[in-house]
Amino acid sequence: MMEPALIKAAQAGDKEALVALLREIENQVYRTAYYLLNHEQDALDASQEALIRIYTKINSYEEKAQFRTWVQRIVTNICIDKFRRSKPSVSIDEHELVFESGDSVEGEVLSAYEAEEIREAIQKLPEHHRTVVVLRYLQDFSYNEIADSLHLPLNTVKSYLFRARQQLQVLLHDYQKGGVRG
């Protein structure tokens, strides 16, 4: 939860408060961008654009909505714009697996595989379903916060989430049965 005093100080022109506020939200902004765009460089670009927009528009924030809802609306809109401008790309970058001591290598590999399967399934969802899934399950937004962020009726958010869960269940069916995609 953002300190209201920090937000007020940033709006009053306190640059240190504004920088502290941006540092507090940068990971959340990047995580949303990454899950919506599925590409590290695009997510970094979108995050930077969102943080700059927040920096320049901090005075337009009104306490009608929670600060994090306002932030998520900005990053989500930027990602949607980026997504519409270009077709989604598949990252071919290889990622190193880092194993923590004490955990089995097999467990670490399976966890990484599960996370990748889920991420790939989320990326196959239509844009509007993917957005509500990311906000609900990765950013832990309530249904009302999602509705506020996306300017959607509450029942539409519930419907999107219901349909997204159905689609994910189908997409992850082989994995749930212990099968391997091929």
Side-chain angles (χ1 to χ4, degrees):
M1 182 70 64
M2 303 301 148
E3 246 341 283
L6 188 60
I7 297 167
K8 291 277 187 212
Q11 288 179 315
D14 182 342
K15 296 295 183 199
E16 289 180 23
L18 184 54
V19 169
L21 192 60
L22 293 173
R23 287 203 174 143
E24 214 173 299
I25 63 172
E26 68 184 337
N27 288 335
Q28 171 187 344
V29 168
Y30 172 76
R31 192 166 79 172
T32 299
Y34 182 77
Y35 276 96
L36 290 175
L37 297 171
N38 191 33
H39 188 267
E40 186 176 359
Q41 192 58 49
D42 289 345
L44 288 169
D45 291 346
S47 298
Q48 183 176 12
E49 188 176 335
L51 292 171
I52 290 170
R53 191 168 299 167
I54 292 163
Y55 179 88
T56 59
K57 304 240 182 222
I58 189 72
N59 288 327
S60 68
Y61 167 69
E62 299 173 1
E63 293 182 29
K64 293 177 186 172
Q66 288 185 7
F67 184 74
R68 77 180 196 143
T69 303
W70 182 75
V71 167
Q72 287 302 313
R73 182 179 307 136
I74 290 171
V75 70
T76 301
N77 287 340
I78 288 170
C79 290
I80 289 170
D81 289 346
K82 279 189 167 298
F83 186 75
R84 287 180 180 154
R85 280 182 280 186
S86 66
K87 293 184 179 182
S89 61
V90 177
S91 174
I92 58 173
D93 297 334
E94 291 188 36
H95 300 283
E96 288 184 34
L97 291 175
V98 178
F99 300 108
E100 296 179 17
S101 60
D103 292 334
S104 73
V105 172
E106 180 181 352
E108 290 288 336
V109 170
L110 287 175
S111 292
Y113 180 74
E114 288 170 358
E116 182 65 18
E117 286 291 316
I118 292 168
R119 189 183 61 73
E120 286 177 8
I122 290 171
Q123 291 309 310
K124 292 178 182 175
L125 294 174
E127 177 186 326
H128 55 285
H129 289 170
R130 181 173 54 241
T131 302
V132 295
V133 165
V134 167
L135 291 177
R136 177 71 182 127
Y137 298 109
L138 300 174
Q139 294 296 346
D140 201 29
F141 270 42
S142 70
Y143 291 175
N144 287 328
E145 289 172 329
I146 296 168
D148 288 346
S149 290
L150 301 177
H151 299 293
L152 293 173
L154 182 59
N155 284 336
T156 301
V157 169
K158 290 178 181 179
S159 174
Y160 284 179
L161 280 168
F162 178 78
R163 289 189 183 118
R165 283 190 297 263
Q166 286 180 319
Q167 291 171 323
L168 286 171
Q169 189 172 16
V170 169
L171 291 167
L172 294 169
H173 182 264
D174 287 343
Y175 180 76
Q176 290 169 344
K177 290 202 173 236
V180 178
R181 288 186 345 201

